[in-house]
């Protein structure tokens, strides 16, 4: 939803210089974005000057935004070119981009040395989960789903991924998580 209350199919940029007067700074329309619950552009990651958008229905979208008042759409890497991964979460660190499916099994890494043309490095089918986060010392932490569990996957600088461990819980589905001080905090529906 844009600041004027209209629905958009893209990304809104806000100026938060003053938290008491947050204003819309810019908007970029993104092709292939579908409106709806758990659809559309689900997650974004800013690694200046580029914004990477996880388009659950379309793939990975790249926006060039050196000036947030005038962001420019660059490209879409279609789900088919991401080894079938329908990205819900996206994280960038240096020249490495990590994509993860929500309520799915697909994980992918991409080389973003050229941010305007991400290149697929690796793809694996991991244990499914409700949500993922990329944090700590290169870890993908996946939680939730049925059966309730947390799965830890190590990501190396070259983009390779190895599942390290899965922990089962006596809880219900769900599971958003966060990482702090070496601990993964996750919640479940129960």
């Amino acid at each position: 939803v844009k600041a004027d209350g209209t629905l958009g199919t893209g990304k809104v940029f806000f100026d938060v210089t003053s938290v008491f007067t947050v204003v819309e700074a810019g908007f970029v329309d993104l092709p292939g974005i579908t409106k709806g619950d758990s659809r559309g552009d689900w997650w974004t990651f800013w690694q200046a000057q580029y914004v990477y958008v996880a388009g659950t229905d379309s793939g990975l979208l790249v926006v060039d935004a050196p000036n947030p008042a005038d962001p420019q759409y660059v490209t879409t890497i279609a789900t088919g070119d991401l080894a079938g991964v329908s990205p819900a979460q996206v994280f960038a660190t240096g020249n490495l981009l990590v994509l993860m499916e929500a309520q799915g099994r697909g994980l992918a890494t991409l080389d973003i040395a050229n941010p305007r043309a991400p290149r697929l490095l690796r793809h694996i089918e991991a244990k499914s989960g409700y949500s993922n986060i990329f944090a700590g010392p290169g870890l993908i932490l996946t939680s939730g789903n049925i059966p309730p569990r947390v799965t830890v996957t190590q990501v190396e600088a070259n983009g390779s991924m190895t599942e390290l461990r899965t922990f089962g819980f006596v809880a219900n589905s769900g599971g958003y998580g966060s990482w702090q001080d070496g601990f993964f905090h996750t919640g479940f529906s129960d």
Side-chain angles (χ1 to χ4, degrees), residues 1-16:
V1 177
K2 295 172 60 176
D4 65 7
T6 62
L7 290 176
T9 54
K11 280 280 143 228
V12 179
F13 290 75
F14 291 94
D15 181 344
V16 293

Side-chain angles (χ1 to χ4, degrees), residues 1-175:
V1 177
K2 295 172 60 176
D4 65 7
T6 62
L7 290 176
T9 54
K11 280 280 143 228
V12 179
F13 290 75
F14 291 94
D15 181 344
V16 293
T17 304
S18 169
V19 296
F20 299 108
T21 56
V22 175
V23 295
E24 184 177 322
F27 177 81
V28 61
D29 190 40
L30 296 176
I33 297 297
T34 305
K35 298 175 191 173
D37 184 37
S38 300
R39 302 178 77 186
D41 52 342
W42 184 254
W43 194 285
T44 60
F45 196 93
W46 174 289
Q47 183 167 273
Q49 69 195 39
Y50 292 91
V51 178
Y52 299 95
V53 181
T56 58
D57 300 314
S58 54
L60 173 70
L61 294 89
V62 180
V63 174
D64 188 359
N67 175 5
D70 187 30
Q72 300 295 312
Y73 164 76
V74 174
T75 191
T76 298
I77 312 300
T79 297
D81 295 326
L82 298 170
V85 173
S86 180
Q89 289 99 21
V90 57
F91 294 87
T93 179
N95 289 336
L96 185 67
L97 190 85
V98 180
L99 293 176
M100 298 151 280
E101 291 182 333
Q103 300 189 58
R105 299 169 47 98
L107 305 175
T109 55
L110 288 86
D111 179 346
I112 55 170
N114 177 354
R116 301 177 74 82
R119 184 178 56 86
L120 182 67
L121 293 172
R122 307 276 195 297
H123 162 261
I124 64 170
E125 292 292 320
K127 290 188 174 65
S128 65
Y130 182 77
S131 181
N132 306 276
I133 191 165
F134 181 64
L139 301 175
I140 296 174
L141 300 147
T142 304
S143 61
N145 231 352
I146 304 293
R149 61 186 172 208
V150 169
T151 301
V152 181
T153 303
Q154 180 70 57
V155 179
E156 301 298 335
N158 66 3
S160 65
M161 294 172 278
T162 306
E163 185 178 307
L164 298 179
R165 184 132 186 228
T166 297
F167 304 89
F169 292 96
V170 180
N172 201 346
S173 64

